[in-house]
Amino acid sequence: MYKNQRYTSENTKMAIELDKVLNELYPGVSRGVVQKDEGIASVSSYNQDLHEGSIMVNIGGVENTLKEETRTAKMLAKAIKVVLNEKAD
């Protein structure tokens, strides 16, 4: 997430809340929220700046199996549901 985009504040709050919920439900599963400084030419915003509530989530890496990544996606889905339900209240 870039620090100086239109929806940065709202999207950062949402990402931080999602990270918090993930770690409450599944301690240690999230590596945290990473923000990129504006001006890094090789890094794109991935359209996160176009809408409030847009965040990019990476699941797994080269060392993970598809089974592990699928399990993590299910954990993420549960955490997203919690965050969106809290936001709706």
Side-chain angles (χ1 to χ4, degrees):
M1 228 180 284
Y2 280 112
K3 293 181 181 177
N4 297 318
Q5 297 289 344
R6 181 176 179 185
Y7 295 105
T8 298
S9 180
E10 295 89 350
N11 294 348
T12 300
K13 287 177 190 174
M14 184 173 168
I16 290 169
E17 181 61 23
L18 180 58
D19 179 65
K20 177 182 156 225
V21 170
L22 269 169
N23 281 310
E24 286 172 356
L25 294 172
Y26 311 100
V29 74
S30 176
R31 293 187 181 175
V33 176
V34 176
Q35 289 185 280
K36 303 290 183 180
D37 291 321
E38 189 174 5
I40 300 174
S42 63
V43 180
S44 175
S45 72
Y46 302 101
N47 295 328
Q48 293 169 265
D49 57 326
L50 299 179
H51 191 274
E52 180 181 356
S54 296
I55 60 174
M56 184 174 74
V57 178
N58 293 315
I59 298 175
V62 296
E63 70 280 358
N64 296 105
T65 65
L66 180 57
K67 186 176 181 179
E68 291 170 330
E69 292 171 348
T70 300
R71 187 175 62 227
T72 302
K74 290 176 182 179
M75 293 176 194
L76 177 62
K78 184 174 180 179
I80 290 171
K81 182 178 178 180
V82 169
V83 170
L84 292 178
N85 285 339
E86 288 176 358
K87 192 173 182 175
D89 291 340

PDB file of all heavy atoms in Angstrom, residues 9-48:
ATOM      1  N   SER A   9      -5.439   6.111   4.044  1.00  0.00           N
ATOM      2  CA  SER A   9      -5.782   6.076   5.465  1.00  0.00           C
ATOM      3  C   SER A   9      -6.833   5.012   5.773  1.00  0.00           C
ATOM      4  O   SER A   9      -6.658   4.189   6.673  1.00  0.00           O
ATOM      5  CB  SER A   9      -6.272   7.452   5.913  1.00  0.00           C
ATOM      6  OG  SER A   9      -6.606   7.431   7.276  1.00  0.00           O
ATOM      7  N   GLU A  10      -7.918   5.011   4.993  1.00  0.00           N
ATOM      8  CA  GLU A  10      -8.991   4.040   5.231  1.00  0.00           C
ATOM      9  C   GLU A  10      -8.520   2.614   4.960  1.00  0.00           C
ATOM     10  O   GLU A  10      -8.808   1.695   5.727  1.00  0.00           O
ATOM     11  CB  GLU A  10     -10.206   4.333   4.334  1.00  0.00           C
ATOM     12  CG  GLU A  10     -10.896   5.650   4.629  1.00  0.00           C
ATOM     13  CD  GLU A  10     -10.317   6.816   3.830  1.00  0.00           C
ATOM     14  OE1 GLU A  10      -9.250   6.657   3.182  1.00  0.00           O
ATOM     15  OE2 GLU A  10     -10.914   7.884   3.852  1.00  0.00           O
ATOM     16  N   ASN A  11      -7.771   2.422   3.883  1.00  0.00           N
ATOM     17  CA  ASN A  11      -7.310   1.089   3.527  1.00  0.00           C
ATOM     18  C   ASN A  11      -6.263   0.573   4.507  1.00  0.00           C
ATOM     19  O   ASN A  11      -6.237  -0.613   4.823  1.00  0.00           O
ATOM     20  CB  ASN A  11      -6.778   1.073   2.096  1.00  0.00           C
ATOM     21  CG  ASN A  11      -7.876   1.322   1.085  1.00  0.00           C
ATOM     22  OD1 ASN A  11      -9.057   1.303   1.401  1.00  0.00           O
ATOM     23  ND2 ASN A  11      -7.492   1.569  -0.152  1.00  0.00           N
ATOM     24  N   THR A  12      -5.431   1.465   5.006  1.00  0.00           N
ATOM     25  CA  THR A  12      -4.440   1.068   6.007  1.00  0.00           C
ATOM     26  C   THR A  12      -5.128   0.643   7.289  1.00  0.00           C
ATOM     27  O   THR A  12      -4.758  -0.379   7.887  1.00  0.00           O
ATOM     28  CB  THR A  12      -3.447   2.214   6.281  1.00  0.00           C
ATOM     29  OG1 THR A  12      -2.778   2.542   5.064  1.00  0.00           O
ATOM     30  CG2 THR A  12      -2.430   1.817   7.334  1.00  0.00           C
ATOM     31  N   LYS A  13      -6.145   1.395   7.705  1.00  0.00           N
ATOM     32  CA  LYS A  13      -6.898   1.016   8.908  1.00  0.00           C
ATOM     33  C   LYS A  13      -7.517  -0.368   8.741  1.00  0.00           C
ATOM     34  O   LYS A  13      -7.488  -1.188   9.654  1.00  0.00           O
ATOM     35  CB  LYS A  13      -7.992   2.044   9.210  1.00  0.00           C
ATOM     36  CG  LYS A  13      -7.477   3.346   9.747  1.00  0.00           C
ATOM     37  CD  LYS A  13      -8.621   4.327   9.942  1.00  0.00           C
ATOM     38  CE  LYS A  13      -8.100   5.713  10.245  1.00  0.00           C
ATOM     39  NZ  LYS A  13      -9.181   6.709  10.294  1.00  0.00           N
ATOM     40  N   MET A  14      -8.082  -0.622   7.579  1.00  0.00           N
ATOM     41  CA  MET A  14      -8.699  -1.918   7.322  1.00  0.00           C
ATOM     42  C   MET A  14      -7.653  -3.039   7.325  1.00  0.00           C
ATOM     43  O   MET A  14      -7.874  -4.108   7.900  1.00  0.00           O
ATOM     44  CB  MET A  14      -9.440  -1.910   5.990  1.00  0.00           C
ATOM     45  CG  MET A  14     -10.180  -3.186   5.721  1.00  0.00           C
ATOM     46  SD  MET A  14     -11.180  -2.968   4.235  1.00  0.00           S
ATOM     47  CE  MET A  14     -11.648  -4.631   3.934  1.00  0.00           C
ATOM     48  N   ALA A  15      -6.510  -2.794   6.705  1.00  0.00           N
ATOM     49  CA  ALA A  15      -5.439  -3.801   6.671  1.00  0.00           C
ATOM     50  C   ALA A  15      -4.923  -4.096   8.080  1.00  0.00           C
ATOM     51  O   ALA A  15      -4.697  -5.259   8.436  1.00  0.00           O
ATOM     52  CB  ALA A  15      -4.302  -3.324   5.777  1.00  0.00           C
ATOM     53  N   ILE A  16      -4.778  -3.073   8.880  1.00  0.00           N
ATOM     54  CA  ILE A  16      -4.309  -3.249  10.256  1.00  0.00           C
ATOM     55  C   ILE A  16      -5.336  -4.019  11.077  1.00  0.00           C
ATOM     56  O   ILE A  16      -4.986  -4.911  11.857  1.00  0.00           O
ATOM     57  CB  ILE A  16      -3.968  -1.888  10.895  1.00  0.00           C
ATOM     58  CG1 ILE A  16      -2.705  -1.312  10.230  1.00  0.00           C
ATOM     59  CG2 ILE A  16      -3.799  -2.006  12.404  1.00  0.00           C
ATOM     60  CD1 ILE A  16      -2.414   0.131  10.575  1.00  0.00           C
ATOM     61  N   GLU A  17      -6.606  -3.714  10.879  1.00  0.00           N
ATOM     62  CA  GLU A  17      -7.669  -4.435  11.590  1.00  0.00           C
ATOM     63  C   GLU A  17      -7.697  -5.901  11.151  1.00  0.00           C
ATOM     64  O   GLU A  17      -7.839  -6.798  11.987  1.00  0.00           O
ATOM     65  CB  GLU A  17      -9.030  -3.776  11.346  1.00  0.00           C
ATOM     66  CG  GLU A  17     -10.176  -4.444  12.068  1.00  0.00           C
ATOM     67  CD  GLU A  17     -10.064  -4.442  13.588  1.00  0.00           C
ATOM     68  OE1 GLU A  17      -9.354  -3.596  14.161  1.00  0.00           O
ATOM     69  OE2 GLU A  17     -10.707  -5.301  14.214  1.00  0.00           O
ATOM     70  N   LEU A  18      -7.551  -6.151   9.862  1.00  0.00           N
ATOM     71  CA  LEU A  18      -7.523  -7.523   9.362  1.00  0.00           C
ATOM     72  C   LEU A  18      -6.334  -8.278   9.950  1.00  0.00           C
ATOM     73  O   LEU A  18      -6.468  -9.424  10.382  1.00  0.00           O
ATOM     74  CB  LEU A  18      -7.475  -7.541   7.837  1.00  0.00           C
ATOM     75  CG  LEU A  18      -7.431  -8.915   7.170  1.00  0.00           C
ATOM     76  CD1 LEU A  18      -8.630  -9.760   7.573  1.00  0.00           C
ATOM     77  CD2 LEU A  18      -7.362  -8.747   5.662  1.00  0.00           C
ATOM     78  N   ASP A  19      -5.176  -7.647   9.986  1.00  0.00           N
ATOM     79  CA  ASP A  19      -3.979  -8.245  10.580  1.00  0.00           C
ATOM     80  C   ASP A  19      -4.224  -8.591  12.051  1.00  0.00           C
ATOM     81  O   ASP A  19      -3.879  -9.689  12.507  1.00  0.00           O
ATOM     82  CB  ASP A  19      -2.799  -7.280  10.438  1.00  0.00           C
ATOM     83  CG  ASP A  19      -1.533  -7.825  11.042  1.00  0.00           C
ATOM     84  OD1 ASP A  19      -1.024  -8.846  10.532  1.00  0.00           O
ATOM     85  OD2 ASP A  19      -1.048  -7.233  12.023  1.00  0.00           O
ATOM     86  N   LYS A  20      -4.858  -7.669  12.775  1.00  0.00           N
ATOM     87  CA  LYS A  20      -5.161  -7.878  14.200  1.00  0.00           C
ATOM     88  C   LYS A  20      -6.084  -9.087  14.381  1.00  0.00           C
ATOM     89  O   LYS A  20      -5.831  -9.957  15.212  1.00  0.00           O
ATOM     90  CB  LYS A  20      -5.788  -6.616  14.782  1.00  0.00           C
ATOM     91  CG  LYS A  20      -6.202  -6.728  16.220  1.00  0.00           C
ATOM     92  CD  LYS A  20      -6.860  -5.420  16.689  1.00  0.00           C
ATOM     93  CE  LYS A  20      -7.767  -5.726  17.854  1.00  0.00           C
ATOM     94  NZ  LYS A  20      -9.050  -5.096  17.783  1.00  0.00           N
ATOM     95  N   VAL A  21      -7.154  -9.134  13.600  1.00  0.00           N
ATOM     96  CA  VAL A  21      -8.125 -10.231  13.707  1.00  0.00           C
ATOM     97  C   VAL A  21      -7.474 -11.557  13.319  1.00  0.00           C
ATOM     98  O   VAL A  21      -7.676 -12.573  13.997  1.00  0.00           O
ATOM     99  CB  VAL A  21      -9.378  -9.940  12.846  1.00  0.00           C
ATOM    100  CG1 VAL A  21     -10.265 -11.166  12.746  1.00  0.00           C
ATOM    101  CG2 VAL A  21     -10.153  -8.765  13.421  1.00  0.00           C
ATOM    102  N   LEU A  22      -6.687 -11.564  12.253  1.00  0.00           N
ATOM    103  CA  LEU A  22      -5.994 -12.786  11.848  1.00  0.00           C
ATOM    104  C   LEU A  22      -5.136 -13.333  12.980  1.00  0.00           C
ATOM    105  O   LEU A  22      -5.149 -14.529  13.271  1.00  0.00           O
ATOM    106  CB  LEU A  22      -5.112 -12.522  10.628  1.00  0.00           C
ATOM    107  CG  LEU A  22      -5.724 -12.747   9.270  1.00  0.00           C
ATOM    108  CD1 LEU A  22      -4.823 -12.191   8.177  1.00  0.00           C
ATOM    109  CD2 LEU A  22      -5.993 -14.214   9.032  1.00  0.00           C
ATOM    110  N   ASN A  23      -4.387 -12.444  13.619  1.00  0.00           N
ATOM    111  CA  ASN A  23      -3.500 -12.886  14.692  1.00  0.00           C
ATOM    112  C   ASN A  23      -4.249 -13.237  15.972  1.00  0.00           C
ATOM    113  O   ASN A  23      -3.737 -14.006  16.783  1.00  0.00           O
ATOM    114  CB  ASN A  23      -2.401 -11.857  14.944  1.00  0.00           C
ATOM    115  CG  ASN A  23      -1.307 -11.968  13.906  1.00  0.00           C
ATOM    116  OD1 ASN A  23      -0.804 -13.056  13.649  1.00  0.00           O
ATOM    117  ND2 ASN A  23      -0.960 -10.861  13.292  1.00  0.00           N
ATOM    118  N   GLU A  24      -5.446 -12.686  16.159  1.00  0.00           N
ATOM    119  CA  GLU A  24      -6.265 -13.100  17.302  1.00  0.00           C
ATOM    120  C   GLU A  24      -6.829 -14.503  17.058  1.00  0.00           C
ATOM    121  O   GLU A  24      -6.838 -15.336  17.964  1.00  0.00           O
ATOM    122  CB  GLU A  24      -7.412 -12.121  17.530  1.00  0.00           C
ATOM    123  CG  GLU A  24      -6.988 -10.804  18.134  1.00  0.00           C
ATOM    124  CD  GLU A  24      -8.099  -9.776  18.185  1.00  0.00           C
ATOM    125  OE1 GLU A  24      -9.220 -10.038  17.684  1.00  0.00           O
ATOM    126  OE2 GLU A  24      -7.842  -8.673  18.711  1.00  0.00           O
ATOM    127  N   LEU A  25      -7.305 -14.747  15.840  1.00  0.00           N
ATOM    128  CA  LEU A  25      -7.886 -16.046  15.508  1.00  0.00           C
ATOM    129  C   LEU A  25      -6.812 -17.125  15.330  1.00  0.00           C
ATOM    130  O   LEU A  25      -7.003 -18.271  15.736  1.00  0.00           O
ATOM    131  CB  LEU A  25      -8.715 -15.944  14.222  1.00  0.00           C
ATOM    132  CG  LEU A  25      -9.973 -15.080  14.275  1.00  0.00           C
ATOM    133  CD1 LEU A  25     -10.565 -14.915  12.870  1.00  0.00           C
ATOM    134  CD2 LEU A  25     -11.001 -15.694  15.214  1.00  0.00           C
ATOM    135  N   TYR A  26      -5.715 -16.744  14.686  1.00  0.00           N
ATOM    136  CA  TYR A  26      -4.649 -17.683  14.345  1.00  0.00           C
ATOM    137  C   TYR A  26      -3.293 -17.027  14.637  1.00  0.00           C
ATOM    138  O   TYR A  26      -2.657 -16.475  13.735  1.00  0.00           O
ATOM    139  CB  TYR A  26      -4.734 -18.066  12.860  1.00  0.00           C
ATOM    140  CG  TYR A  26      -6.120 -18.469  12.422  1.00  0.00           C
ATOM    141  CD1 TYR A  26      -6.942 -17.569  11.738  1.00  0.00           C
ATOM    142  CD2 TYR A  26      -6.619 -19.726  12.716  1.00  0.00           C
ATOM    143  CE1 TYR A  26      -8.225 -17.928  11.343  1.00  0.00           C
ATOM    144  CE2 TYR A  26      -7.903 -20.095  12.333  1.00  0.00           C
ATOM    145  CZ  TYR A  26      -8.696 -19.200  11.647  1.00  0.00           C
ATOM    146  OH  TYR A  26      -9.958 -19.557  11.267  1.00  0.00           O
ATOM    147  N   PRO A  27      -2.858 -17.058  15.884  1.00  0.00           N
ATOM    148  CA  PRO A  27      -1.618 -16.362  16.272  1.00  0.00           C
ATOM    149  C   PRO A  27      -0.424 -16.708  15.370  1.00  0.00           C
ATOM    150  O   PRO A  27      -0.157 -17.878  15.093  1.00  0.00           O
ATOM    151  CB  PRO A  27      -1.387 -16.849  17.702  1.00  0.00           C
ATOM    152  CG  PRO A  27      -2.757 -17.189  18.209  1.00  0.00           C
ATOM    153  CD  PRO A  27      -3.469 -17.760  17.007  1.00  0.00           C
ATOM    154  N   GLY A  28       0.210 -15.659  14.877  1.00  0.00           N
ATOM    155  CA  GLY A  28       1.412 -15.804  14.066  1.00  0.00           C
ATOM    156  C   GLY A  28       1.198 -16.046  12.586  1.00  0.00           C
ATOM    157  O   GLY A  28       2.163 -16.107  11.828  1.00  0.00           O
ATOM    158  N   VAL A  29      -0.060 -16.152  12.141  1.00  0.00           N
ATOM    159  CA  VAL A  29      -0.301 -16.465  10.725  1.00  0.00           C
ATOM    160  C   VAL A  29       0.018 -15.271   9.818  1.00  0.00           C
ATOM    161  O   VAL A  29       0.431 -15.451   8.682  1.00  0.00           O
ATOM    162  CB  VAL A  29      -1.740 -16.970  10.475  1.00  0.00           C
ATOM    163  CG1 VAL A  29      -2.750 -15.854  10.557  1.00  0.00           C
ATOM    164  CG2 VAL A  29      -1.841 -17.691   9.145  1.00  0.00           C
ATOM    165  N   SER A  30      -0.139 -14.056  10.306  1.00  0.00           N
ATOM    166  CA  SER A  30       0.113 -12.867   9.487  1.00  0.00           C
ATOM    167  C   SER A  30       1.494 -12.294   9.774  1.00  0.00           C
ATOM    168  O   SER A  30       1.933 -12.242  10.918  1.00  0.00           O
ATOM    169  CB  SER A  30      -0.936 -11.792   9.777  1.00  0.00           C
ATOM    170  OG  SER A  30      -0.636 -10.617   9.056  1.00  0.00           O
ATOM    171  N   ARG A  31       2.140 -11.849   8.724  1.00  0.00           N
ATOM    172  CA  ARG A  31       3.452 -11.216   8.870  1.00  0.00           C
ATOM    173  C   ARG A  31       3.339  -9.695   8.981  1.00  0.00           C
ATOM    174  O   ARG A  31       4.333  -8.994   8.947  1.00  0.00           O
ATOM    175  CB  ARG A  31       4.341 -11.571   7.694  1.00  0.00           C
ATOM    176  CG  ARG A  31       4.706 -13.037   7.681  1.00  0.00           C
ATOM    177  CD  ARG A  31       5.714 -13.327   6.612  1.00  0.00           C
ATOM    178  NE  ARG A  31       6.026 -14.740   6.596  1.00  0.00           N
ATOM    179  CZ  ARG A  31       6.804 -15.314   5.716  1.00  0.00           C
ATOM    180  NH1 ARG A  31       7.358 -14.578   4.770  1.00  0.00           N
ATOM    181  NH2 ARG A  31       7.038 -16.588   5.758  1.00  0.00           N
ATOM    182  N   GLY A  32       2.121  -9.191   9.074  1.00  0.00           N
ATOM    183  CA  GLY A  32       1.933  -7.759   9.276  1.00  0.00           C
ATOM    184  C   GLY A  32       1.545  -7.010   8.022  1.00  0.00           C
ATOM    185  O   GLY A  32       1.364  -7.588   6.958  1.00  0.00           O
ATOM    186  N   VAL A  33       1.423  -5.701   8.170  1.00  0.00           N
ATOM    187  CA  VAL A  33       1.030  -4.801   7.086  1.00  0.00           C
ATOM    188  C   VAL A  33       2.282  -4.107   6.570  1.00  0.00           C
ATOM    189  O   VAL A  33       3.048  -3.541   7.346  1.00  0.00           O
ATOM    190  CB  VAL A  33       0.004  -3.753   7.588  1.00  0.00           C
ATOM    191  CG1 VAL A  33      -0.328  -2.761   6.494  1.00  0.00           C
ATOM    192  CG2 VAL A  33      -1.245  -4.451   8.108  1.00  0.00           C
ATOM    193  N   VAL A  34       2.479  -4.140   5.256  1.00  0.00           N
ATOM    194  CA  VAL A  34       3.638  -3.509   4.634  1.00  0.00           C
ATOM    195  C   VAL A  34       3.153  -2.349   3.783  1.00  0.00           C
ATOM    196  O   VAL A  34       2.239  -2.494   2.984  1.00  0.00           O
ATOM    197  CB  VAL A  34       4.403  -4.516   3.746  1.00  0.00           C
ATOM    198  CG1 VAL A  34       5.557  -3.828   3.026  1.00  0.00           C
ATOM    199  CG2 VAL A  34       4.897  -5.680   4.579  1.00  0.00           C
ATOM    200  N   GLN A  35       3.764  -1.185   3.971  1.00  0.00           N
ATOM    201  CA  GLN A  35       3.448  -0.017   3.151  1.00  0.00           C
ATOM    202  C   GLN A  35       4.680   0.366   2.358  1.00  0.00           C
ATOM    203  O   GLN A  35       5.805   0.297   2.851  1.00  0.00           O
ATOM    204  CB  GLN A  35       3.032   1.164   4.019  1.00  0.00           C
ATOM    205  CG  GLN A  35       1.670   0.970   4.661  1.00  0.00           C
ATOM    206  CD  GLN A  35       1.254   2.204   5.401  1.00  0.00           C
ATOM    207  OE1 GLN A  35       1.700   2.438   6.513  1.00  0.00           O
ATOM    208  NE2 GLN A  35       0.424   2.994   4.774  1.00  0.00           N
ATOM    209  N   LYS A  36       4.460   0.784   1.111  1.00  0.00           N
ATOM    210  CA  LYS A  36       5.552   1.205   0.234  1.00  0.00           C
ATOM    211  C   LYS A  36       5.582   2.725   0.155  1.00  0.00           C
ATOM    212  O   LYS A  36       4.552   3.371   0.125  1.00  0.00           O
ATOM    213  CB  LYS A  36       5.371   0.630  -1.175  1.00  0.00           C
ATOM    214  CG  LYS A  36       5.275  -0.872  -1.215  1.00  0.00           C
ATOM    215  CD  LYS A  36       6.597  -1.507  -0.887  1.00  0.00           C
ATOM    216  CE  LYS A  36       6.489  -3.015  -1.014  1.00  0.00           C
ATOM    217  NZ  LYS A  36       7.717  -3.697  -0.715  1.00  0.00           N
ATOM    218  N   ASP A  37       6.782   3.275   0.106  1.00  0.00           N
ATOM    219  CA  ASP A  37       6.931   4.719  -0.071  1.00  0.00           C
ATOM    220  C   ASP A  37       6.630   5.088  -1.511  1.00  0.00           C
ATOM    221  O   ASP A  37       7.001   4.374  -2.441  1.00  0.00           O
ATOM    222  CB  ASP A  37       8.348   5.172   0.278  1.00  0.00           C
ATOM    223  CG  ASP A  37       8.628   5.058   1.755  1.00  0.00           C
ATOM    224  OD1 ASP A  37       7.721   5.353   2.546  1.00  0.00           O
ATOM    225  OD2 ASP A  37       9.749   4.677   2.123  1.00  0.00           O
ATOM    226  N   GLU A  38       5.951   6.219  -1.696  1.00  0.00           N
ATOM    227  CA  GLU A  38       5.702   6.728  -3.044  1.00  0.00           C
ATOM    228  C   GLU A  38       7.050   7.052  -3.673  1.00  0.00           C
ATOM    229  O   GLU A  38       7.974   7.503  -3.014  1.00  0.00           O
ATOM    230  CB  GLU A  38       4.835   7.987  -2.966  1.00  0.00           C
ATOM    231  CG  GLU A  38       4.354   8.458  -4.304  1.00  0.00           C
ATOM    232  CD  GLU A  38       3.383   9.602  -4.190  1.00  0.00           C
ATOM    233  OE1 GLU A  38       3.153  10.100  -3.096  1.00  0.00           O
ATOM    234  OE2 GLU A  38       2.856  10.000  -5.236  1.00  0.00           O
ATOM    235  N   GLY A  39       7.149   6.821  -4.946  1.00  0.00           N
ATOM    236  CA  GLY A  39       8.383   7.148  -5.632  1.00  0.00           C
ATOM    237  C   GLY A  39       9.221   5.935  -5.992  1.00  0.00           C
ATOM    238  O   GLY A  39      10.208   6.042  -6.682  1.00  0.00           O
ATOM    239  N   ILE A  40       8.815   4.768  -5.503  1.00  0.00           N
ATOM    240  CA  ILE A  40       9.522   3.563  -5.897  1.00  0.00           C
ATOM    241  C   ILE A  40       8.988   3.185  -7.272  1.00  0.00           C
ATOM    242  O   ILE A  40       7.897   2.652  -7.408  1.00  0.00           O
ATOM    243  CB  ILE A  40       9.303   2.417  -4.881  1.00  0.00           C
ATOM    244  CG1 ILE A  40       9.802   2.838  -3.502  1.00  0.00           C
ATOM    245  CG2 ILE A  40       9.988   1.148  -5.358  1.00  0.00           C
ATOM    246  CD1 ILE A  40       9.503   1.830  -2.421  1.00  0.00           C
ATOM    247  N   ALA A  41       9.770   3.484  -8.300  1.00  0.00           N
ATOM    248  CA  ALA A  41       9.298   3.367  -9.679  1.00  0.00           C
ATOM    249  C   ALA A  41       8.920   1.945 -10.067  1.00  0.00           C
ATOM    250  O   ALA A  41       8.022   1.739 -10.875  1.00  0.00           O
ATOM    251  CB  ALA A  41      10.364   3.898 -10.625  1.00  0.00           C
ATOM    252  N   SER A  42       9.559   0.964  -9.505  1.00  0.00           N
ATOM    253  CA  SER A  42       9.302  -0.406  -9.937  1.00  0.00           C
ATOM    254  C   SER A  42       8.096  -1.042  -9.244  1.00  0.00           C
ATOM    255  O   SER A  42       7.725  -2.153  -9.558  1.00  0.00           O
ATOM    256  CB  SER A  42      10.538  -1.264  -9.665  1.00  0.00           C
ATOM    257  OG  SER A  42      10.801  -1.305  -8.282  1.00  0.00           O
ATOM    258  N   VAL A  43       7.477  -0.341  -8.307  1.00  0.00           N
ATOM    259  CA  VAL A  43       6.354  -0.907  -7.557  1.00  0.00           C
ATOM    260  C   VAL A  43       5.068  -0.185  -7.944  1.00  0.00           C
ATOM    261  O   VAL A  43       4.986   1.025  -7.923  1.00  0.00           O
ATOM    262  CB  VAL A  43       6.588  -0.777  -6.034  1.00  0.00           C
ATOM    263  CG1 VAL A  43       5.416  -1.355  -5.277  1.00  0.00           C
ATOM    264  CG2 VAL A  43       7.872  -1.486  -5.640  1.00  0.00           C
ATOM    265  N   SER A  44       4.058  -0.960  -8.304  1.00  0.00           N
ATOM    266  CA  SER A  44       2.767  -0.407  -8.684  1.00  0.00           C
ATOM    267  C   SER A  44       1.836  -0.378  -7.488  1.00  0.00           C
ATOM    268  O   SER A  44       2.059  -1.056  -6.493  1.00  0.00           O
ATOM    269  CB  SER A  44       2.157  -1.265  -9.794  1.00  0.00           C
ATOM    270  OG  SER A  44       0.868  -0.819 -10.103  1.00  0.00           O
ATOM    271  N   SER A  45       0.754   0.393  -7.579  1.00  0.00           N
ATOM    272  CA  SER A  45      -0.223   0.442  -6.492  1.00  0.00           C
ATOM    273  C   SER A  45      -1.205  -0.715  -6.577  1.00  0.00           C
ATOM    274  O   SER A  45      -1.979  -0.937  -5.668  1.00  0.00           O
ATOM    275  CB  SER A  45      -1.001   1.758  -6.539  1.00  0.00           C
ATOM    276  OG  SER A  45      -1.888   1.763  -7.637  1.00  0.00           O
ATOM    277  N   TYR A  46      -1.202  -1.470  -7.672  1.00  0.00           N
ATOM    278  CA  TYR A  46      -2.115  -2.592  -7.867  1.00  0.00           C
ATOM    279  C   TYR A  46      -3.568  -2.169  -7.702  1.00  0.00           C
ATOM    280  O   TYR A  46      -4.395  -2.934  -7.231  1.00  0.00           O
ATOM    281  CB  TYR A  46      -1.776  -3.756  -6.937  1.00  0.00           C
ATOM    282  CG  TYR A  46      -0.368  -4.261  -7.133  1.00  0.00           C
ATOM    283  CD1 TYR A  46       0.638  -3.897  -6.258  1.00  0.00           C
ATOM    284  CD2 TYR A  46      -0.058  -5.072  -8.214  1.00  0.00           C
ATOM    285  CE1 TYR A  46       1.936  -4.346  -6.455  1.00  0.00           C
ATOM    286  CE2 TYR A  46       1.235  -5.528  -8.411  1.00  0.00           C
ATOM    287  CZ  TYR A  46       2.226  -5.157  -7.524  1.00  0.00           C
ATOM    288  OH  TYR A  46       3.508  -5.596  -7.723  1.00  0.00           O
ATOM    289  N   ASN A  47      -3.871  -0.923  -8.040  1.00  0.00           N
ATOM    290  CA  ASN A  47      -5.219  -0.346  -7.992  1.00  0.00           C
ATOM    291  C   ASN A  47      -5.787  -0.214  -6.585  1.00  0.00           C
ATOM    292  O   ASN A  47      -6.982  -0.003  -6.422  1.00  0.00           O
ATOM    293  CB  ASN A  47      -6.193  -1.129  -8.883  1.00  0.00           C
ATOM    294  CG  ASN A  47      -5.830  -1.042 -10.336  1.00  0.00           C
ATOM    295  OD1 ASN A  47      -5.301  -0.028 -10.791  1.00  0.00           O
ATOM    296  ND2 ASN A  47      -6.081  -2.084 -11.085  1.00  0.00           N
ATOM    297  N   GLN A  48      -4.969  -0.340  -5.571  1.00  0.00           N
ATOM    298  CA  GLN A  48      -5.437  -0.172  -4.200  1.00  0.00           C
ATOM    299  C   GLN A  48      -5.899   1.250  -3.926  1.00  0.00           C
ATOM    300  O   GLN A  48      -6.610   1.479  -2.964  1.00  0.00           O
ATOM    301  CB  GLN A  48      -4.325  -0.534  -3.216  1.00  0.00           C
ATOM    302  CG  GLN A  48      -3.964  -1.986  -3.220  1.00  0.00           C
ATOM    303  CD  GLN A  48      -2.698  -2.205  -2.448  1.00  0.00           C
ATOM    304  OE1 GLN A  48      -1.627  -2.250  -3.018  1.00  0.00           O
ATOM    305  NE2 GLN A  48      -2.824  -2.316  -1.156  1.00  0.00           N
TER     306      GLN A  48
END
